């Protein structure tokens, strides 16, 4: 996964990573928000979900201590990271800054 993950975040296109867990109720809320964000942003950015229980080393590498944690990468650089549930407008506006 880490090689594939690196290829994804090295992209010219911004990538929003959703670090989540299947047992996490707020993560389910965030997931439905991200569906709308994807519709708003279209092909301008990618949204990828990473299950912290399946990829704990990846979560640790990026300092994920709670879920949901969202991070935006572009050209391999982390541009933004925050834990908690975020609304559609906040995330759409954030991603549009980096498109």
């Amino acid at each position: 996964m880490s090689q594939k993950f690196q290829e994804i975040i090295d992209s010219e296109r911004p990538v929003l990573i959703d670090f989540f867990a299947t047992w996490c109720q707020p993560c389910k809320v965030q997931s439905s928000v991200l569906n709308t964000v994807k519709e708003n942003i279209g092909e301008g950015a990618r949204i990828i979900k990473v299950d912290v229980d399946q990829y704990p080393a990846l979560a640790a590498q990026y300092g994920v201590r709670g879920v949901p944690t969202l991070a935006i990468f572009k050209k391999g650089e982390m541009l933004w990271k925050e834990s908690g549930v975020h609304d559609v407008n906040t995330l759409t506006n954030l991603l549009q800054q980096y498109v």
Side-chain angles (χ1 to χ4, degrees):
M1 171 71 171
S2 58
Q3 178 63 40
K4 177 79 174 141
F5 185 81
Q6 195 61 47
E7 288 172 22
I8 291 168
I9 67 172
D10 281 346
S11 167
E12 290 283 324
R13 199 164 51 145
V15 182
L16 174 68
I17 308 294
D18 174 19
F19 291 97
F20 78 103
T22 54
W23 46 264
C24 162
Q25 200 56 46
C27 296
K28 293 178 173 83
V29 172
Q30 188 65 77
S31 185
S32 66
V33 167
L34 290 175
N35 290 336
T36 306
V37 172
K38 181 64 186 154
E39 289 171 18
N40 291 348
I41 210 82
E43 294 300 310
R46 290 179 75 179
I47 298 175
I48 308 289
K49 296 173 71 63
V50 175
D51 186 332
V52 296
D53 292 329
Q54 286 186 348
Y55 302 101
L58 204 54
Q61 181 180 348
Y62 292 101
V64 175
R65 296 195 176 16
V67 287
T69 294
L70 303 177
I72 298 175
F73 291 86
K74 187 173 181 177
K75 298 180 191 167
E77 183 184 348
M78 186 188 299
L79 303 171
W80 177 85
K81 181 181 102 176
E82 214 170 278
S83 294
V85 176
H86 295 77
D87 67 274
V88 171
N89 292 335
T90 301
L91 293 175
T92 301
N93 292 338
L94 255 171
L95 278 171
Q96 284 175 336
Q97 289 175 32
Y98 302 116
V99 171

